[in-house]
Amino acid sequence: ILLFVSVNQILLLLLVLTVCAILYNKVHQVPSVQKNEAVDLESPEEMEEEIPVVICAAAGRMGATVAAISSIYSNTEANVLFYIVGLKTTIPHIRKWIENSKLKEIKFKVVEFNPMVLRGKIRQDASRPELLQPLNFVRFYLPLLTQKHEKVIYLDDDIIVQGDIQELYDTKLAPGHAAAFSDDCDLPSTHEMVRSVGMQNTYMGFLDYRKQAIRDLGISPSTCSFNPGVIVANMTEWKHQRITKQLEKWMQRNVEENLYSSTLGGGVATSPMLIVFHGKYSAINPMWHIRHLGWSPDTRYSEHFLQEAKLLHWNGRYKPWDYPSVHTDLWENWFIPDPSGKFKLTRPDS
């Protein structure tokens, strides 16, 4: 009996030791797994900051959107997430264009913009009706479109990026500033272009100083304006300062009092931004916004200057996908033909 008990005790002891050994091994394997996971999480691919870029896809202009995205994607190694904003009727077209072209590798989200948010906020008396298109006001609603990001880039569709978008994203915003823009007076190389085509680059060109509400702002009419076609925005400050509400307030006041008009400077979306951001924005490197390429079909920049530019903007009437326009070769380098054949370039021989 004693022998039997001893054997049982030995077997029990062996069982306990076996269980302990298994548990020991499992416990001591966990740190190594956690360590590997930590290494993976810290790898550049996993920890790389996402750069959100908001760009619109409007009917009749989708070739512009595609060319802009193509230029950004081709000139950076950064982790870019494109927010492509369209109306319900245009979204299927742009999605198919991307998915059936070499852009199918990009990271993107298609966002539907509801034009009902603009009801009662836009005067219908502009000399350039294209400026009243709903997507022209998408930049007012950035926090609603990109909810999880601290910092966002907004770009007009009529741009080409020749530099690394990471540089633009790294633009420093001063404390308390919700956005960064390029001043219209910031680059001497563009001053002759501005004079030659009679462009306005001051607040006088966008606001009607005959109106008391504008005079009450206390902003000198000779103050240099800025162009909101390229924006680096801080979403925390934007929401904290209720920028969207402020912009909507001035849109509604314009409907009631006609405070600005596209017949003045051409900017029904620019004017409220000039008011709301006056004296409260940071500066974008001027070479990251070379503009006015669409203001005249005749006036050209030097080729050397354009090669140095990081971003080109065909703001104005003369777009590079239409005719006439200038420096179309720089734009066409990035254009990807529409697989559906709906969008076609307008050229002299077409």
Side-chain angles (χ1 to χ4, degrees), residues 70 125 129 179 194 232-233 238 265 318 322:
S70 172
D125 60 354
V194 170
V232 181
W238 192 292
Y318 302 98
D322 280 333

Side-chain angles (χ1 to χ4, degrees), residues 6-283:
S6 298
V7 169
N8 280 346
Q9 287 176 335
I10 292 169
L11 288 174
L12 182 61
L13 180 61
L14 288 173
L15 180 61
V16 170
L17 289 173
T18 302
V19 170
C20 289
I22 292 170
L23 290 174
Y24 178 86
N25 286 336
K26 284 186 176 292
V27 168
H28 283 78
Q29 281 174 359
V30 172
S32 66
V33 172
Q34 289 178 333
K35 185 177 180 181
N36 289 339
E37 285 176 352
V39 170
D40 288 340
L41 287 172
E42 291 169 4
S43 67
E45 290 78 16
E46 294 295 331
M47 291 301 288
E48 189 177 27
E49 189 170 13
E50 205 166 55
I51 298 180
V53 175
V54 177
I55 191 164
C56 294
R61 297 171 63 110
M62 288 190 200
T65 307
V66 167
I69 291 172
S70 172
S71 70
I72 295 166
Y73 181 65
S74 300
N75 287 308
T76 188
E77 296 294 324
N79 181 22
V80 181
L81 172 60
F82 293 97
Y83 283 86
I84 303 170
V85 187
L87 302 181
K88 189 173 185 178
T89 53
T90 62
I91 283 174
H93 187 186
I94 192 67
R95 187 186 291 278
K96 286 181 182 176
W97 197 332
I98 289 171
E99 291 175 349
N100 292 286
S101 72
K102 64 182 182 181
L103 291 180
K104 62 187 175 186
E105 302 298 327
I106 70 170
K107 289 172 59 179
F108 73 102
K109 293 181 180 180
V110 175
V111 182
E112 181 182 341
F113 183 70
N114 185 353
M116 292 301 292
V117 300
L118 301 173
R119 177 178 281 183
K121 301 184 182 75
I122 304 175
R123 291 183 66 89
Q124 300 297 324
D125 60 354
S127 62
R128 291 179 60 191
E130 73 273 15
L131 296 174
L132 300 178
Q133 295 302 315
L135 296 181
N136 205 30
F137 300 91
V138 161
R139 71 198 88 192
F140 290 11
Y141 298 94
L142 293 177
L144 300 179
L145 302 168
T146 59
Q147 296 183 2
K148 67 172 185 173
H149 302 284
E150 167 69 14
K151 197 175 188 183
V152 171
I153 294 173
Y154 167 86
L155 299 173
D156 276 354
D157 59 4
D158 51 355
I159 62 99
I160 287 294
V161 172
Q162 301 185 135
D164 186 341
I165 198 74
Q166 181 76 53
E167 280 184 44
L168 181 60
Y169 185 75
D170 290 341
T171 298
K172 301 295 184 189
L173 274 69
H177 286 178
F181 308 97
S182 284
D183 278 324
D184 284 329
C185 311
D186 61 7
L187 204 60
S189 308
T190 67
H191 293 174
E192 189 171 332
M193 170 82 86
V194 170
R195 286 193 296 271
S196 67
V197 296
M199 277 182 293
Q200 293 284 352
N201 62 359
T202 65
Y203 273 56
M204 174 66 86
F206 295 90
L207 304 178
D208 188 349
Y209 277 82
R210 296 171 299 178
K211 302 295 171 65
Q212 187 62 44
I214 297 302
R215 294 199 299 272
D216 286 347
L217 291 170
I219 302 172
S220 168
S222 62
T223 301
C224 185
S225 55
F226 59 79
N227 186 300
V230 177
I231 308 172
V232 181
N234 179 313
M235 293 294 92
T236 300
E237 281 296 336
W238 192 292
K239 288 181 278 192
H240 176 69
Q241 297 178 34
R242 298 169 62 85
I243 296 295
T244 297
K245 288 293 183 187
Q246 290 188 58
L247 292 167
E248 288 183 326
K249 181 191 82 171
W250 282 103
M251 291 170 75
Q252 287 168 329
R253 287 198 66 175
N254 180 59
V255 170
E256 297 160 5
E257 304 172 49
N258 197 16
L259 302 177
Y260 52 85
S261 170
S262 63
T263 56
L264 292 172
V268 290
T270 300
S271 300
M273 297 196 88
L274 291 177
I275 295 171
V276 170
F277 284 102
H278 174 253
K280 294 186 291 186
Y281 64 91
S282 298

